[in-house]
Each structure stands twice: as C-alpha cells, then as structure tokens.
Amino acid sequence: KVGGKQEAKMLLRSSALLLGVIATCQAFSGPFLHVGVGSGSRRSSITMQLDASKVEKFVAQGEKAVSSGRAKKVKTLHKVLKKPSGAVSVGIECSTDLPLKADDLKADFQIFGENGISQKLRGSNAGAIWIEKKEDGSDLKVAQAFAKEQHSAKGDFPGPVAVIRGGVTTMEQAAEAAAAGCKAIGIRLQELGSTDDVQELMLAAKGMEMESVAVVSSVDDVSSAVDADAENVMVLPLASEDEYSQIRESLPSAVAAVVQLDFSAEVDATVKKARDLHAGGYSAVLVSGLCTDETNSLELPCSVVKEITSKRSSKVEIKTVGVRDAEVAGAAGLAAATGGGGGESAPATTTKPKKVRPSFKKKAKTSKTPVGMDNWGLDEFTMEDEEDPDAVFYEKMKTFSKGE
C-alpha cells in the first residue's frame, strides 16, 4: 500500500533505477572490468570496475534528497568556474578513447603516470575535466581513471581538478558518475521534460554531494535554467556574438556562465575567442577537441589553457610586505621568491604557521589584489587584478619552496 502519488512515483523510480543499476554494473564489469587500452607497445591494460553497491548508495541518497526537498549545498566547482578574482577559468573536454595506462609510466600520453594527461592538465591550471556520457557507459572508465588520479593530489597545490560527467539525464546516470568519483554532472536541459525535472535532478545530484552544470543552447533553455535556480550554466557553441550577449544578459550575475568552444585549427583564434567571451561577461570556457587519442599530444591542450589564462601585459609585479617567520621564509628563499626585493622586516614569531589556503580579498580603489600568505610566513604580496591568483601563487611558491 502506498500513501499517495508522490510515494508511488518514488517507488516506481526506485524499482526502475535498481534494474538499471544491475544492468549497468553487469555491463561495466563485463567489457570494462579489464580494459585493454589502445594498441601497440605503448599501451597496457588496467583494471577499472564500477562498484554496484556505491551506485545503489548514491541512488538512495539522491532519492532521499528529492523526497525531503533538502540537500547540502556544494559550491567547490562553482568557485572554480566563477573565480573571486574575476580571472577566466578554462576546462578541457577529454574524449573517451584516451589510453588509461601505458607500459612506460613516464610516457606523457596516458591518463595515469607522473607525466600523464591528468597530472599535466592539473599542472597547467585547468579548472575542470569534462567527460561526455556515452550510451554504452564507456565514458565511466575514463571518468573513473581521471577522478582516481586527481584524488591522489588531495592536499597538494594545485589540488585535484573536478571531473564532470556530461549528458546526464537520469538519477541512475548521476549515481554512476558519483560512484566513478565525479564531482559534478552536466545536464542538457533540452533532453529533460520540464523545469521540475531539471530541479529534481539537480537536487538529487546535491544529495550525492555533486554539483550540476545546466547545458543550454538557446534563450528558452536559459529561462528554464534560471527557473531551476541553476548556479552553473554552460552555453553550447552558437552562431553569433549577439546570441552569446543575449544569453549572458539573461543570466543572473551570481551564476557561473561558461561557454563551450570547439577548438579551431589556429591556437590564436581559440584564445582570442575565449578572451572575447570573458570580456563579454562569461567567467569560464570549456574547450573541446583538444584532448583526444587522435591528437596524441599534451602540448596543445596545456598550451591553450596557459595562453587563455596568461596575463596579456608585462610580467606580474610581486611586492613583499613583511616577513613574520625568519625560519620559514629564510633570506635565500625570500630573495628567490621576490626577485631579490627586500620587504620591510617584522618581528619573528615562534608560532607554527597555520596551514590554510590563501584568502583573495580586494582592497577598495586599487588596481592590485593583496594575497594573504600567513601560512608561508609572509603577510601578503600584490598582483595585477587581471592575473589569476592561483597561477601566480603556485609559480611563486614553487620558487619560494626551493629557497626554503
């Protein structure tokens, strides 16, 4: 006996999802349990398996969030796609034919490995890795491999890059993404029936501790995304600049507005397009067609990310404001980090520096942004507002660590 229509709907969905999970995991553990990736001597085999119990657990979490109408907010990806500094963020779409692991662990064109695709994208300051869903579920092995490698960087700087499974339309597919280690899902609004369906899937994703990216291709789609309270919206490639402007104007300023760009043959053209869109109010771009088995190279995607996020003018100016801990900073390390500049000395302290992420807070009426560095023994340094704080901080601290 069921208490009402809502309970009946949830019961029917649970039954359908359970059957879908069983079928998916059987398929996944069949052809994809032991994956032979590519051909030739540079390829190898690696075991990847989707845990059926995890999928069921995430389905239950999603259903609970939908039935209660409540879920914990997760905004990690949102803060990457819409940086507090206003700098542009760049995501890369990776194809599902990438080799997971090569015989040579030092080879660059493999997802795993010390010089692999996942590590290099993280080092190039990529903001997200997008894997589009395939009907046969073959995208899951690639998403799981990226997520596993990125998780290994937890606690490092730069930290893990969020892996997103695009093209999700059901709670079951969202649960598969969560079980594979994805931090977000992409939802094509045109493939869902109504705003209620969009809201329900977004709420289910939150219940699975994932974020959502609403994928739109028209002003009508944008209206549905706004009605569904989408925090991240990605616009598919459009025909004209006017359409991009119209869509951006239709989105609330708090939304992380992303544009998908198909890579053109010319790097400069892609970089210019991304910068023009950023100047027009979009906070991030997702570049497709760069990271595929056909390109067989990491140089192109990494260089495009760096070109789009790099500063357009002269070298960033770093100014040391003070030294709090002589033991942590060290004369040699400080000189290396600041290019030889000597900041004003402050009283030393024996208190152990707190290991916290730097805060990015802008001062009023200034063209520079102070970046707190208490955890490194420095009070702050300044930088041009158009520069990406993460990139500058990372490069300077690499130099500083060598001095330390």
Side-chain angles (χ1 to χ4, degrees):
K1 293 184 179 180
V2 183
K5 291 183 178 179
Q6 182 64 22
E7 288 82 357
K9 183 179 178 181
M10 295 297 295
L11 180 61
L12 289 172
R13 184 193 295 120
S14 298
S15 302
L17 285 172
L18 181 57
L19 291 174
V21 167
I22 294 172
T24 300
C25 291
Q26 285 177 340
F28 193 89
S29 61
F32 302 127
L33 174 60
H34 190 71
V35 183
V37 285
S39 59
S41 60
R42 72 178 180 91
R43 310 299 178 134
S44 181
S45 295
I46 186 170
T47 300
M48 301 297 296
Q49 185 174 3
L50 195 66
D51 191 331
S53 64
K54 283 187 177 181
V55 178
E56 293 178 11
K57 181 193 76 171
F58 285 119
V59 167
Q61 289 179 199
E63 288 181 339
K64 182 179 179 181
V66 172
S67 61
S68 66
R70 298 190 306 273
K72 182 180 178 181
K73 278 193 174 183
V74 184
K75 300 192 73 172
T76 305
L77 177 64
H78 177 79
K79 292 177 181 178
V80 171
L81 298 179
K82 187 176 177 62
K83 294 184 177 182
S85 66
V88 64
S89 180
V90 182
I92 294 292
E93 180 177 359
C94 295
S95 67
T96 57
D97 58 2
L98 296 176
L100 305 188
K101 189 175 181 181
D103 292 329
D104 181 4
L105 294 178
K106 293 186 178 181
D108 59 358
F109 204 70
Q110 57 179 327
I111 294 177
F112 291 103
E114 59 188 69
N115 298 314
I117 301 170
S118 184
Q119 191 275 336
K120 289 295 185 182
L121 288 178
R122 180 169 63 251
S124 69
N125 206 33
I129 297 172
W130 185 286
I131 310 293
E132 190 69 15
K133 178 182 67 68
K134 298 294 183 182
E135 291 302 321
D136 61 359
S138 59
D139 62 287
L140 289 169
K141 69 180 186 295
V142 175
Q144 188 179 24
F146 270 115
K148 184 175 181 180
E149 197 287 326
Q150 289 297 331
H151 182 74
S152 68
K154 189 174 182 180
D156 295 339
F157 194 92
V161 177
V163 179
I164 307 170
R165 187 189 195 193
V168 172
T169 57
T170 68
M171 191 184 299
E172 176 197 357
Q173 294 168 0
E176 293 168 356
C182 296
K183 298 301 180 183
I185 57 172
I187 304 172
R188 288 181 179 262
L189 269 60
Q190 286 188 338
E191 297 182 15
L192 294 179
S194 65
T195 301
D196 290 341
D197 293 334
V198 176
Q199 284 181 317
E200 189 174 288
L201 188 52
M202 288 182 175
L203 187 58
K206 287 181 181 178
M208 302 174 198
E209 300 180 4
M210 290 192 299
E211 295 175 72
S212 301
V213 179
V215 182
V216 303
S217 58
S218 67
V219 176
D220 291 339
D221 289 346
V222 172
S223 299
S224 298
V226 172
D227 292 341
D229 297 323
E231 296 177 330
N232 310 300
V233 176
M234 184 173 79
V235 184
L236 295 176
L238 300 174
S240 69
E241 299 298 328
D242 290 340
E243 289 181 278
Y244 285 117
S245 299
Q246 188 178 2
I247 287 179
R248 185 63 192 94
E249 291 171 0
S250 303
L251 290 171
S253 59
V255 169
V258 188
V259 174
Q260 181 182 20
L261 290 180
D262 291 328
F263 176 70
S264 63
E266 295 293 333
V267 173
D268 290 345
T270 302
V271 172
K272 183 180 183 303
K273 179 74 170 178
R275 287 179 170 173
D276 288 345
L277 288 166
H278 181 234
Y282 286 92
S283 59
V285 294
L286 175 76
V287 185
S288 303
L290 276 174
C291 194
T292 69
D293 192 46
E294 292 181 1
T295 59
N296 192 24
S297 172
L298 278 177
E299 183 178 353
L300 191 58
C302 291
S303 63
V304 168
V305 173
K306 290 180 179 179
E307 281 293 319
I308 295 175
T309 57
S310 67
K311 187 178 177 182
R312 304 174 204 177
S313 57
S314 59
K315 186 178 179 181
V316 64
E317 175 191 353
I318 302 296
K319 177 185 176 184
T320 305
V321 177
V323 182
R324 294 197 314 103
D325 193 328
E327 289 184 0
V328 175
L334 179 58
T338 61
E344 179 183 341
S345 242
T349 175
T350 56
T351 305
K352 186 177 180 180
K354 296 179 180 179
K355 292 185 177 180
V356 296
R357 284 297 305 274
S359 60
F360 305 119
K361 296 181 180 179
K362 292 189 177 181
K363 291 180 180 178
K365 298 181 181 179
T366 179
S367 63
K368 307 224 179 238
T369 299
V371 183
M373 297 174 63
D374 288 341
N375 53 322
W376 291 96
L378 302 178
D379 289 336
E380 66 178 18
F381 64 83
T382 58
M383 58 188 291
E384 300 294 339
D385 280 348
E386 65 179 342
E387 182 57 271
D388 179 4
D390 285 342
V392 175
F393 181 78
Y394 176 54
E395 290 302 320
K396 287 299 168 185
M397 295 325 299
K398 281 200 302 185
T399 306
F400 180 74
S401 296
K402 291 177 183 177
E404 179 188 3

